[in-house]
């Protein structure tokens, strides 16, 4: 992933001070396994060429992507395209330029426009070239694209083809960086962290002076904020923002729905949270009366360490039943999990190849045979409310099912292994698309 900025003409050497980087030195840091470099290819009185370059660590990403992407530990194949991951590293390395806070003697240059030529990419976007032009041309840029040369018989004009984005225009360095910071995730249709009301403050800060007048403002906001409930916070009073976000954050709604159903079960002594991540759901289960043993099963060591810290903190409350953290997977059998009362898979199955789901269900329902199984997964139909069209909600999702597809699959599995199955939705109910999350509750039939 890289960002190159070239400027020619008078005073362009000032850019090094705005960037707070010595042109004679190579800036090099390691952030979460990613090697971040910044160096000046050319530095003269009237010609400056600087490159910000990220070499991702795919091993780090595959091992620890639960920490990076807030999902279970499955390999993510998008690490080589610029995305919000790239933006977060950009903000760390170039915070001085983004915030417009150079040394006082150079503060007057923050608002000075330079003839900038910017190259950023690779961009792996579902947006067409024309749609990307509509994001940048209103900001005064000339927009061009460069596709990689290849000997394969591929149509490189297809919208999913990776490309380098090249921008040229008279603008301030701060404006250019802020616009890229906002628009790169819009093009990539992905953010690697949970989107909440704090994102609104970022958009206000980095969108100041250009976003409100942008002809694509509504689209940019919806893509940047993703969730309709958060998007609506822009139009609400500050006190109402926090209150509504607290009640409507989809993750919390999932946890609340699952906790409510588990609490109502007559048999809930032993509960298994598969893909427990950093232990948020397992921690809530620790306060449910009637549960005696909780296994929090997670393949990522990094997430398990986070979960242990969470459990230790909660243990200060004498009523907390501390979960047992376990390394585990859905694809090998652990005898300790046999005969549990409850299994929970919260937003896990969509990160597994669809062809492997039947085998996973056989392990759960035929080998482990819990009395109850809860499975939540995205409702693909609701994606239209998020403006995702045919895209998945997250690039690591291997599939997303409609309500009818989910119900059909679950009913087939339930019948095959001697369970009954009921369905419900989680989140705001749309009259056409239903709720954003769908939940299946499997109940083992009694053998007469």
């Amino acid at each position: 992933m890289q960002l190159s900025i070239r400027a020619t003409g008078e005073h362009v050497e000032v850019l090094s001070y705005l960037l707070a980087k010595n042109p004679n030195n190579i800036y090099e840091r390691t952030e979460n396994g990613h090697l971040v470099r910044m160096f000046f290819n050319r530095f003269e009185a009237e010609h400056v060429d600087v490159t910000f370059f990220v070499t991702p660590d795919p091993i780090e990403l595959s091992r620890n992507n639960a920490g990076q992407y807030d999902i279970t530990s499955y390999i993510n194949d998008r690490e080589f395209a610029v995305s919000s991951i790239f933006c977060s590293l950009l903000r760390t390395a170039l915070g001085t330029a983004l915030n417009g806070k150079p040394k006082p003697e150079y503060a007057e240059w923050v608002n000075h426009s330079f003839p900038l030529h910017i190259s950023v990419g690779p961009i792996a976007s579902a947006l067409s070239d024309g749609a990307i032009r509509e994001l940048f041309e209103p900001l005064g840029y000339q927009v061009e694209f460069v596709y990689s040369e290849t000997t394969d018989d591929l149509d490189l004009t297809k919208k999913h083809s990776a490309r380098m984005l090249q921008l040229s225009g008279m603008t301030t360095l701060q404006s250019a960086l802020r616009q890229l910071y906002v628009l790169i995730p819009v093009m990539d249709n992905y953010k690697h962290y949970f989107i909440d009301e704090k994102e609104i403050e970022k958009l206000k800060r980095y969108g100041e002076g250009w976003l409100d007048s942008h002809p694509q403002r509504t689209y940019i906001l919806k893509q940047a904020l993703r969730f309709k409930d958060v998007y609506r916070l822009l139009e609400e009073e500050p006190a109402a923002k926090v209150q509504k976000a607290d009640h409507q954050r989809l993750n919390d709604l999932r946890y609340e729905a699952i906790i409510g159903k588990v609490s109502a079960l007559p048999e809930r002594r032993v509960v298994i949270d598969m893909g427990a991540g950093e232990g948020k759901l397992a921690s809530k289960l620790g306060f449910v009366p009637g549960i005696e043993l909780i296994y929090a099963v997670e393949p990522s060591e990094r997430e398990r360490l986070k979960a242990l810290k969470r459990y230790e903190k909660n243990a200060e409350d004498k009523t907390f039943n501390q979960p047992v953290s376990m390394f585990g997977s859905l694809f090998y059998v652990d005898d300790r999990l046999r005969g549990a009362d409850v299994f929970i898979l919260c937003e896990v199955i969509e990160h597994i190849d669809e062809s492997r789901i039947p085998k996973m269900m056989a392990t759960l329902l035929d080998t482990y045979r819990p009395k109850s199984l809860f499975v939540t997964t995205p409702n693909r139909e609701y994606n239209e409310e998020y403006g995702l069209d045919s895209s998945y909600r997250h690039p690591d999702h291997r599939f997303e099912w409609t309500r009818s597809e989910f119900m059909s699959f679950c009913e087939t599995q339930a019948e095959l292994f001697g369970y009954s199955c009921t369905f419900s939705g989680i989140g705001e109910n749309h009259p056409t698309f239903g709720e954003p999350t769908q939940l299946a509750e499997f109940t083992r039939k009694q053998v007469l």
Side-chain angles (χ1 to χ4, degrees):
M1 319 177 209
Q2 73 176 55
L3 165 67
S4 295
I5 301 174
R6 175 167 55 88
T8 56
E10 293 184 341
H11 310 301
V12 295
E13 73 278 5
V14 175
L15 291 174
S16 66
Y17 297 100
L18 298 180
L19 292 166
K21 298 293 183 290
N22 187 332
N24 297 313
N25 299 330
I26 296 178
Y27 172 92
E28 186 170 291
R29 299 288 189 274
T30 299
E31 299 283 347
N32 294 325
H34 311 302
L35 180 60
V36 181
R37 290 189 181 96
M38 183 172 173
F39 50 89
F40 285 79
N41 306 290
R42 185 172 175 179
F43 185 79
E44 300 171 359
E46 295 190 356
H47 191 133
V48 171
D49 195 342
V50 60
T51 296
F52 175 82
F53 191 84
V54 174
T55 303
D57 181 355
I59 296 177
E60 174 75 10
L61 287 171
S62 67
R63 285 177 178 172
N64 300 312
N65 65 359
Q68 299 299 319
Y69 303 106
D70 194 27
I71 58 175
T72 52
S73 185
Y74 299 101
I75 295 174
N76 188 293
D77 59 2
R78 297 300 309 281
E79 62 263 29
F80 294 99
V82 292
S83 67
S84 63
I85 302 170
F86 181 78
C87 290
S88 65
L89 298 172
L90 186 74
R91 186 174 62 168
T92 299
L94 303 183
T96 299
L98 270 168
N99 295 318
K101 300 292 184 182
K103 291 181 179 180
E105 56 266 37
Y106 298 100
E108 63 180 294
W109 295 97
V110 171
N111 295 319
H112 181 82
S113 293
F114 298 92
L116 299 183
H117 303 272
I118 299 167
S119 176
V120 61
I123 302 292
S125 178
L127 296 181
S128 66
D129 289 355
I132 294 177
R133 290 182 189 278
E134 290 178 357
L135 294 176
F136 287 96
E137 287 182 346
L139 300 174
Y141 294 107
Q142 292 182 343
V143 181
E144 296 180 358
F145 301 92
V146 176
Y147 288 88
S148 299
E149 294 183 3
T150 179
T151 58
D152 295 331
D153 185 20
L154 298 175
D155 181 1
L156 295 180
T157 64
K158 290 182 178 179
K159 67 179 181 179
H160 289 286
S161 299
R163 70 212 98 160
M164 296 296 294
L165 171 65
Q166 296 188 340
L167 308 171
S168 301
M170 285 292 295
T171 184
T172 69
L173 177 65
Q174 183 187 37
S175 293
L177 292 176
R178 288 186 167 192
Q179 288 157 359
L180 287 171
Y181 183 86
V182 171
L183 295 177
I184 283 175
V186 171
M187 291 186 289
D188 190 58
N189 195 29
Y190 162 57
K191 284 192 177 180
H192 70 286
Y193 51 84
F194 186 82
I195 302 169
D196 59 15
E197 68 276 7
K198 294 179 182 178
E199 287 297 287
I200 296 173
E201 299 307 317
K202 288 184 186 178
L203 282 175
K204 286 183 176 179
R205 180 165 68 252
Y206 295 128
E208 183 179 3
W210 65 273
L211 184 53
D212 283 346
S213 59
H214 198 292
Q216 296 294 322
R217 175 182 179 273
T218 299
Y219 175 76
I220 292 169
L221 292 176
K222 286 184 176 180
Q223 292 298 101
L225 296 175
R226 297 301 189 279
F227 299 111
K228 181 176 62 175
D229 295 329
V230 180
Y231 172 65
R232 286 176 176 172
L233 296 179
L234 284 169
E235 310 302 328
E236 298 174 3
E237 293 298 323
K241 290 179 182 178
V242 176
Q243 182 180 11
K244 186 169 183 180
D246 287 342
H247 286 292
Q248 295 189 344
R249 182 174 177 177
L250 192 53
N251 272 347
D252 290 339
L253 291 176
R254 292 187 192 110
Y255 299 153
E256 290 171 10
I258 292 170
I259 293 298
K261 287 185 174 292
V262 172
S263 300
L265 293 173
E267 296 181 88
R268 56 179 184 276
R269 188 180 66 83
V270 180
V271 178
I272 315 297
D273 181 14
M274 294 295 297
E278 60 186 72
K280 292 181 180 179
L281 176 57
S283 290
K284 293 181 182 294
L285 290 167
F287 291 102
V288 176
I291 298 179
E292 298 177 14
L293 180 60
I294 304 164
Y295 285 120
V297 184
E298 168 59 39
S300 167
E301 185 66 22
R302 179 174 181 173
E303 292 303 279
R304 290 177 61 212
L305 291 174
K306 289 182 181 179
L308 286 172
K309 292 180 180 179
R310 187 184 301 275
Y311 304 153
E312 289 171 2
K313 183 176 181 180
N314 287 337
E316 297 173 2
D317 187 326
K318 301 302 182 183
T319 66
F320 181 65
N321 179 15
Q322 184 161 328
V324 177
S325 179
M326 291 176 53
F327 175 86
S329 166
L330 288 162
F331 295 101
Y332 68 82
V333 175
D334 190 321
D335 287 336
R336 292 172 292 178
L337 306 182
R338 291 179 186 268
D341 295 300
V342 184
F343 263 74
I344 301 169
L345 276 69
C346 181
E347 305 300 288
V348 171
I349 65 170
E350 61 272 11
H351 297 283
I352 303 170
D353 289 336
E354 189 173 1
S355 61
R356 304 181 73 191
I357 301 301
K359 180 180 178 181
M360 177 205 75
M361 294 298 290
T363 300
L364 288 167
L365 299 179
D366 191 41
T367 303
Y368 290 136
R369 290 198 62 77
K371 296 180 177 68
S372 299
L373 166 66
F374 296 96
V375 179
T376 76
T377 193
N379 166 20
R380 192 179 76 201
E381 294 162 278
Y382 200 90
N383 289 357
E384 188 166 335
E385 279 294 280
Y386 296 145
L388 296 182
D389 299 322
S390 61
S391 303
Y392 293 154
R393 295 187 199 176
H394 193 284
D396 188 63
H397 286 186
R398 309 305 169 85
F399 68 92
E400 288 177 2
W401 280 332
T402 64
R403 287 168 292 172
S404 62
E405 289 170 336
F406 184 58
M407 291 177 66
S408 176
F409 175 82
C410 291
E411 287 172 347
T412 299
Q413 297 299 308
E415 181 65 25
L416 185 62
F417 296 110
Y419 283 77
S420 60
C421 191
T422 59
F423 301 90
S424 56
I426 300 172
E428 181 180 356
N429 184 284
H430 187 280
T432 302
F433 307 129
E435 294 88 350
T437 295
Q438 45 194 340
L439 184 151
E441 179 179 353
F442 294 79
T443 304
R444 193 175 72 196
K445 296 177 181 178
Q446 293 184 354
V447 178
L448 300 178

